[in-house]
Amino acid sequence: MSRFDLRLLLDPPRYPADRYAPLADRIKRLFATTRGDVVFVQAEATLALEAVATSIARPGLVAVNVVTSPYGAWFGAWLARGGATVHQVNAAPGQPIEAAAVSACVDRLAHVDVVAAVHAESSNGALNPLGALAALARSRQALFVVDAVASVGGHPIDFDEHDIDIAVIGAQKALAGPAGVSAVAVSARAWAHIDARPDFAPSSLSLAELKRNWLDRGRLALPGTPPALEFWALDAALDRVEAEGVAQVIARHRQAAQASRAGLRALGVEPWIAADEAASALVTSVRAPEGIHANVLIADAAKLGVELLPGFGEIEGRIVRLDHTGLRASFDAVLANVTAFGAVLERRAVKVDIGAAVRAVRDVYAV
Ligand SMILES: *Cc1c(COP(=O)(O)O)cnc(C)c1O
């Protein structure tokens, strides 16, 4: 890091007007979608999520909002702020949602306009059942809104197959790109919903305004002063993803999750998300032993030069996250995570088998 020449960031060339549309099309290809538009939000993904909630909310709208992390809770709050009636379906802290809980909520309602959920969580390692949620939304002709910020590039997402109406995309997680520009994929049905109400423009939260100022004008330069550094970085991140192949990027995340889970089990501890198919491929969480705050373990690992992460949300302090997102979805990062976690447990007199953990990680990566 210290050798990085900060002057390289100065005076970037303008991002060419005719590159935005191809850039959006490349994002569409990540979802293998032929329907739906992609628009850019010139901000971090949380703002894109707020823009989506604000653009679809209105008095009388009935939303079933799945909450498996603070992101979902914020989304529900933004919908409610816009006048929507929000039925929150909360998972057990830090765990994925059970489709049956969402189905029970939907069944109690005479009418559902929106079903919203995070796909994969980087904050706790939960993976929500996208297919089941999609089917529930479809069964009620509700808009299906997905926070795919973390999952894009980490899990297969098929916008068309799952009949997704709105997906929010960030480049800073599995795609290993910049955090300062985001994208939103929007179906024709979602545009019709948004357009059915007078726009609240001018506003940075208005998807209708993005559509009018960019899509409807032939997708050339974005209005305002687009952040050239961020767009060049997104372009370069997509180059790297395409060179590897998105299927391979997804497979690399799956393998990192598999190896992390096998490593933890061989160490003698159970992953926080018990079922493999309900675990996200971005991070693997593990419970801190009774009586030990997660931050103590994280601080010990930092002394080894390994960055373990705390949980985000209600489970902060109770879990440690082994991060294998983006470039960290690799043998060396997984091995360092698992062995460092074993080492810090051992230091606190927890009996672990670090040798077996190393072998288990190796076995998953064995060529
Ligand atoms: C990371 C993430 C976001 C965006 O958060 P940032 O603060 O912009 O990084 C939104 N949703 C989910 C599920 C995420 O993992």
Side-chain angles (χ1 to χ4, degrees):
M1 182 58 211
S2 55
R3 272 180 296 160
F4 183 72
D5 184 355
L6 293 171
R7 288 170 303 183
L8 290 172
L9 300 174
L10 293 172
D11 315 313
R14 199 189 294 274
Y15 195 76
D18 60 5
R19 271 179 101 121
Y20 290 103
L23 195 65
D25 291 340
R26 291 164 75 189
I27 290 174
K28 279 174 77 165
R29 280 200 287 280
L30 294 180
F31 289 106
T33 182
T34 49
R35 60 177 191 89
D37 297 307
V38 164
V39 292
F40 293 107
V41 173
Q42 300 177 42
E44 194 190 357
T46 21
L47 192 130
L49 286 165
E50 185 174 355
V52 167
T54 307
S55 294
I56 63 175
R58 60 206 56 185
L61 182 100
V62 177
V64 171
N65 185 49
V66 171
V67 178
T68 49
S69 73
Y71 297 113
W74 297 342
F75 196 79
W78 293 320
L79 286 174
R81 186 184 64 192
T85 303
V86 182
H87 298 271
Q88 213 96 268
V89 189
N90 295 288
Q95 293 290 326
I97 200 71
E98 308 260 355
V102 186
S103 164
C105 176
V106 164
D107 287 347
R108 280 195 300 273
L109 299 169
H111 178 75
V112 182
D113 296 300
V114 172
V115 173
V118 168
H119 181 199
E121 294 283 7
S122 55
S123 43
N124 51 39
L127 175 68
N128 286 319
L130 194 65
L133 296 173
L136 272 172
R138 204 175 312 130
S139 73
R140 302 301 295 269
Q141 274 104 48
L143 294 177
F144 185 37
V145 178
V146 179
D147 173 347
V149 176
S151 64
V152 62
H155 290 272
I157 313 172
D158 191 322
F159 194 85
D160 299 358
E161 163 84 18
H162 287 128
D163 220 354
I164 295 173
D165 289 293
I166 297 183
V168 178
I169 300 140
Q172 76 267 37
K173 301 280 171 70
L175 301 178
V181 59
S182 317
V184 185
V186 187
S187 73
R189 198 160 51 148
W191 283 131
H193 170 83
I194 290 165
D195 289 341
R197 180 188 64 161
D199 188 16
F200 52 87
S203 168
S204 301
L205 298 176
S206 167
L207 292 185
E209 189 169 329
L210 291 178
K211 177 172 182 285
R212 198 170 48 250
N213 283 341
W214 190 59
L215 282 181
D216 296 350
R217 288 187 181 177
R219 298 203 302 167
L220 287 166
L222 293 178
T225 310
L229 284 174
E230 298 291 327
F231 275 102
W232 282 119
L234 176 58
D235 196 316
L238 292 177
D239 280 349
R240 189 163 60 183
V241 165
E242 289 161 3
E244 185 178 356
V246 68
Q248 175 54 29
V249 175
I250 291 170
R252 182 160 54 74
H253 282 85
R254 185 188 318 117
Q255 187 174 39
Q258 244 172 30
S260 300
R261 296 173 68 79
L264 288 174
R265 286 174 176 143
L267 206 54
V269 296
E270 260 307 297
W272 165 254
I273 309 282
D276 291 345
E277 64 280 6
S280 106
L282 308 158
V283 302
T284 297
S285 296
V286 57
R287 190 192 296 272
E290 204 58 49
I292 304 178
H293 194 282
N295 287 353
V296 171
L297 302 173
I298 291 166
D300 282 352
K303 291 181 202 143
L304 300 171
V306 175
E307 192 185 17
L308 302 181
L309 303 173
F312 176 49
E314 297 172 272
I315 32 65
E316 192 185 338
R318 291 167 56 197
I319 64 166
V320 172
R321 282 185 297 157
L322 312 189
D323 174 17
H324 39 80
T325 303
L327 299 188
R328 294 182 58 89
S330 67
F331 175 69
D332 57 342
V334 169
L335 191 63
N337 283 341
V338 170
T339 48
F341 187 67
V344 300
L345 286 182
E346 199 165 53
R347 187 156 179 267
R348 303 274 156 184
V350 180
K351 205 168 163 321
V352 289
D353 189 341
I354 294 174
V358 169
R359 287 190 295 276
V361 171
R362 178 211 55 199
D363 287 348
V364 173
Y365 279 95
V367 282

